[in-house]
Amino acid sequence: MRFPEFTEEWETKKLGEVATNVMYGMNAAATNYDGENQYIRITDIDEQTRLFCPNPLSSPDGELDNKYLLHKGDILFARTGASVGKSYLYNDKDGKIYFAGFLIRLNVRDEDPYFIFSQTLTEKYQRWVLTMSMRSGQPGINAEEYKLLPIVIPSIQEQEKISSFLLLIDERIQTQNKIIEELKLLKITLRYQLYEQILNQENEYVQVKDTLNYEQPTKYLVTNTDYSSDISLIPVLTANKAFVLV
């Protein structure tokens, strides 16, 4: 599926051919946020959205070197541990950020940074990470290996159009997520107020056993522990929380 005005073939390149200024982050501990200098570590990159979501916000400890500051076009990659392959595209709105040592920075200038970054959100990329990271026997990908990442490159005009479209969807998702979180908070608040009101009234207290009926399901004898697509069978939730059929 493509925008109809584009018909040229896409070219395959390696990330190292389109990215420069490759380097590892600073080796510094995180300390309390100083009000200006933010610090991004692997754990500060959201697993789902890949946004900068520090909790709590922190600053790098010790002397600061501006070579570790993030700039437009910078993409970070986690290089080790369970989160190897996790990526983050720097956004000017995130402010002044230094990146930590377990992250690798590559800068994209001549191509559309978001278009390149979006390719790290695909299943194809996850398969590449799995294969590459296990070559050494433990999860990890170094800078030279990240430079070998295959990426596809259409014309810059097509890159920008695709990026604009995907960014628009991202913005709508973020808006909907914000609405969902606000509704969750409203629900919690209303539930608290409701129960507080009930507790402040005179009520009769009863035990759970007096309000619920319970039947020991001994008559449901399990005859088959294999899953089946036969809709005539009745699924049963067993003690190990796995569904079986009777």
Side-chain angles (χ1 to χ4, degrees), residues 224-227 235-238 240-245:
N224 184 4
T225 58
D226 295 327
Y227 291 97
V236 173
L237 182 62
T238 62
N240 65 358
K241 299 182 181 180
F243 281 102
V244 295
L245 302 173

Side-chain angles (χ1 to χ4, degrees), residues 7 29 33 52 55 78 83 85 112 121 154 160 163 177 189 216 236 238:
T7 58
Y33 180 51
F52 177 50
N55 186 24
S83 296
D112 185 279
L121 308 178
E160 291 173 347
S163 293
N177 286 340
T189 303
Q216 182 67 29
V236 173
T238 62

Side-chain angles (χ1 to χ4, degrees), residues 21-32:
N21 200 18
V22 182
M23 65 179 297
Y24 294 93
M26 64 189 303
N27 185 21
T31 187
N32 294 332

Side-chain angles (χ1 to χ4, degrees), residues 152-203:
V152 291
I153 304 291
S155 67
I156 188 63
Q157 293 80 12
E158 188 170 6
Q159 291 182 46
E160 291 173 347
K161 186 152 188 175
I162 292 173
S163 293
S164 297
F165 176 71
L166 295 177
L167 283 167
L168 179 61
I169 295 177
D170 282 345
E171 290 174 1
R172 293 189 177 182
I173 290 174
Q174 291 176 36
T175 299
Q176 291 301 316
N177 286 340
K178 183 178 180 181
I179 292 173
I180 291 172
E181 291 303 315
E182 290 174 348
L183 288 174
K184 287 181 179 179
L185 179 60
L186 176 61
K187 178 183 176 181
I188 293 172
T189 303
L190 291 176
R191 183 169 55 194
Y192 174 79
Q193 292 175 348
L194 175 63
Y195 287 128
E196 277 292 300
Q197 183 178 355
I198 293 175
L199 291 173
N200 289 332
Q201 297 175 353
E202 292 186 2
N203 297 285

Side-chain angles (χ1 to χ4, degrees), residues 10-15 18 50 75 77 85-89 108 111-129 146 149-155 158-160 162-163 166 170:
W10 288 22
E11 185 178 0
T12 299
K13 292 185 177 182
K14 293 180 174 61
L15 181 59
V18 300
R50 300 294 178 88
I75 302 177
F77 293 89
K86 184 193 286 188
S87 57
Y88 160 76
L89 174 65
V108 177
E111 310 296 341
D112 185 279
Y114 184 84
F115 180 81
I116 303 300
F117 165 72
S118 65
Q119 295 182 54
T120 70
L121 308 178
T122 63
E123 291 185 4
K124 180 180 179 181
Y125 171 73
Q126 293 303 324
R127 291 193 298 270
W128 180 86
V129 168
Y146 270 119
L149 172 66
I151 54 175
V152 291
I153 304 291
S155 67
E158 188 170 6
Q159 291 182 46
E160 291 173 347
I162 292 173
S163 293
L166 295 177
D170 282 345

